[in-house]
Amino acid sequence: MTAPLLRVEDLVAGYAPGLPVVHGASLEASAGEIVTLIGPNGAGKSTLLKAIAGLVTVERGSIRIAGCDVVGLPAHEIVRLGVGYVPQTGNVFTTLTVLENLKVGGHLLAPAQRAERLAQAFTRFPVLAERRRALARTLSGGQRQMLAIARALMTAPRLLLLDEPSAGLAPVAAEGVFAELRSLARSGVAVLMVEQRARAALRVSDRGYVLAEGRNRVAGPAATLLSDPDVAAAFLGGRRAA
Ligand SMILES: Nc1ncnc2c1ncn2[C@@H]1O[C@H](COP(=O)(O)OP(=O)(O)O)[C@@H](O)[C@H]1O
Ligand SMILES: [Mg+2]
């Protein structure tokens, strides 16, 4: 078996020294799989993603990308190592056009490469090509989320981190986002997302982790988590149809 692309071990991280909100969490994600992180509000899920992206201080533990420990590296170096991050809010510039947003996403690239990646983005997301001159704020919620993902893809990440990509979307738009993530995973990207829509997210995932109070609670194949009555009762909102 090949080593996972991302390996987080015993991570302690937070916003102020000595006051961590992630208390020793561990997880892995491999190329081509979707891994979903669920858990109650305030569990530290977003903070864990931010730590991987280099956006919060890590006090202890390790974060390896393809074997390289990235703890302490500035966020732009982590981008260069192949990590894309789609935050939950503020993930597009609403006053810029679709095209401008994508250009910003590719600002680290040489012009020829940026042009190539733009063409790839418009092939992957035809709706963004159609609306390339539109201001991002005029997009529907689903289109905006596609733009946020397309923007993160401009640097061709090997690992894509997404914080609640379906938040605020109608079910059909959420399914569109999840289908896009499946397609990305098929192309070899490792996808790690945090989701409140736990059931729907696990249905498109290979594996899942439940985080509570900054610590791992349960982990396993997504199908196992979905069929575990204890997990369902405690973390999936109980209702099967949701
Ligand atoms: N920018 C911040 N500064 C200080 N504390 C924060 C900040 N963001 C989140 N927290 C705190 O960290 C804890 C975990 O938050 P978060 O990682 O956002 O949880 P989750 O995404 O699982 O809901 C919460 O207690 C929250 O209040
Ligand atoms: Mg969160």
Side-chain angles (χ1 to χ4, degrees), residues 32-99:
E33 69 172 351
I34 301 185
V35 176
T36 289
L37 188 54
I38 62 173
N41 265 335
K45 305 180 297 296
S46 295
T47 306
L48 179 46
L49 284 196
K50 286 184 217 165
I52 299 167
L55 299 169
V56 297
T57 310
V58 171
E59 293 190 26
R60 224 174 53 230
S62 67
I63 303 171
R64 289 197 177 76
I65 311 283
C68 171
D69 196 340
V70 302
V71 167
L73 291 184
H76 67 270
E77 290 290 339
I78 295 175
V79 171
R80 278 188 207 282
L81 285 169
V83 179
Y85 170 56
V86 182
Q88 186 182 350
T89 54
N91 56 21
V92 299
F93 294 106
T94 53
T95 58
L96 299 183
T97 66
V98 166
L99 180 61

Side-chain angles (χ1 to χ4, degrees), residues 27 32 46 51 59 66 80 98 100 141 150 164 168 170 180 185-186 229 231 234 238:
L27 59 78
S46 295
E59 293 190 26
R80 278 188 207 282
V98 166
E100 286 163 347
E164 301 199 23
E180 203 53 58
R186 263 198 306 278
V231 171

